[in-house]
Amino acid sequence: MRCALRCAWADRMRVLVGADESAVARAAAALITERRPNVLGVATGSSPVLTYRELVRARSLPGNVQLCLLDEYVGLAPTDPHRYRAVIMAQLAAPLGLPDHHVHAPDVDADDLDLAAQRYEQLLCELGGVDVQLLGIGRNGHIGFNEPGTPIESRTHVGFLHDATRVDNARFFASLDHVPHKVVTQGLATIAGARSIILIATGAAKNEATTALVTRRQSPLVPASGLFDHPDLTVIGDHAALDGATYPRTLLEPV
Ligand code: F6R
């Protein structure tokens, strides 16, 4: 029984360990490129920044790629540069020369946010689904803004950030008071619907969360662990984020 589990696990999830953030980014960009996504799901925050830089440098994405955000803050002015849509425009879409209408996010300015969430879910369907979803992971195991306790079957919905997540994200804002409480995020089932998932984790602060994911401690308390059974999941991280647990892994060659 133990062996059967191990085999299924090794078949499904790939764990790649790089020496540093640059090696991780190069591997993530190469994998995204290999998948030739028409629809690329994009995360924000620190984790994917170097990967976006690599993708811009290589110009290796299909020219007509559609970028779909994982989540968006509610309550920021439409022109606020902290909006995740603005971040993706600046880090990826604009440098690649992608037009504005190739970048999709939930309409967080709508009066009815629940409806806006449903519409986003619908849009992802109309685009044919997400081919490759790039993810970071929160210290508490959140993916997108699905905080611990979010049901595994959740679809795009209105959510609230945990205090710890707001504290972590305060580094992007003038102060903690500026960090929104409310978000619209793809749900765990929405994320898991992507054909291919690449999760990036670097730094010791992520070790507990990634260990819970890669060692199959599946629990609603660690939202990322809901991805465990995904048929095409690659976790790419550095030693600080991934060392410690016993699981099959591939060391990335230094380039
Ligand atoms: C951002 C997102 C979050 C981040 C996570 C890790 O769109 O969905 O789940 O990926 O908070 O953030 P960083 O990469 O800044 O540590």
Side-chain angles (χ1 to χ4, degrees):
M1 182 62 175
R2 208 169 188 181
C3 173
L5 274 179
R6 277 185 74 90
C7 296
W9 160 29
D11 283 345
R12 283 165 179 264
M13 177 166 35
R14 294 197 292 167
V15 180
L16 309 180
V17 185
D20 55 24
E21 279 186 321
S22 301
V24 169
R26 280 195 301 272
L31 200 55
I32 292 170
T33 301
E34 194 184 293
R35 300 283 194 272
R36 298 209 54 76
N38 292 317
V39 179
L40 176 63
V42 284
T44 44
S46 304
S47 304
V49 173
L50 291 185
T51 301
Y52 295 149
R53 214 173 281 170
E54 269 302 308
L55 289 171
V56 168
R57 190 193 57 75
R59 301 209 154 262
S60 51
L61 286 175
N64 59 351
V65 66
Q66 305 279 338
L67 305 179
C68 293
L69 272 75
L70 197 50
D71 41 24
E72 182 59 284
Y73 289 121
V74 175
L76 298 178
T79 52
D80 192 312
H82 297 96
R83 277 215 185 191
Y84 281 167
R85 192 174 201 291
V87 171
I88 288 298
M89 283 307 297
Q91 292 181 353
L92 190 59
L96 284 176
L98 288 175
D100 202 63
H101 64 271
H102 277 230
V103 182
H104 308 279
D107 177 8
V108 289
D109 302 314
D111 290 333
D112 186 339
L113 289 175
D114 293 325
L115 187 60
Q118 276 177 35
R119 289 206 168 123
Y120 192 59
E121 191 77 27
Q122 180 66 30
L123 174 79
L124 296 176
C125 264
E126 285 164 10
L127 289 172
V130 174
D131 294 311
V132 178
Q133 177 65 59
L134 186 61
L135 295 175
I137 185 169
R139 275 196 302 156
N140 61 7
H142 71 241
I143 51 172
F145 277 137
N146 294 283
E147 295 283 27
T150 307
I152 197 161
E153 65 278 5
S154 56
R155 314 296 315 189
T156 304
H157 62 279
V158 178
F160 291 88
L161 299 185
H162 283 193
D163 288 346
T165 303
R166 290 188 64 249
V167 168
D168 281 349
N169 286 4
R171 70 191 193 281
F172 297 111
F173 290 83
S175 76
L176 179 59
D177 291 343
H178 290 79
V179 184
H181 289 265
K182 203 169 175 180
V183 294
V184 175
T185 179
Q186 289 189 30
L188 291 173
T190 315
I191 294 170
R195 291 178 188 90
S196 177
I197 295 181
I198 299 168
L199 185 146
I200 294 178
T202 55
K206 305 292 174 73
N207 192 284
E208 201 180 324
T210 50
T211 301
L213 165 62
V214 301
T215 56
R216 199 178 183 145
R217 273 190 259 140
Q218 207 167 25
S219 149
L221 295 179
V222 183
S225 69
L227 296 178
F228 187 86
D229 289 321
H230 192 278
D232 183 8
L233 168 63
T234 308
V235 177
I236 310 179
D238 61 4
H239 289 280
L242 288 171
D243 280 1
T246 314
Y247 50 86
R249 63 180 96 186
T250 304
L251 292 184
L252 295 166
E253 297 291 330
V255 184

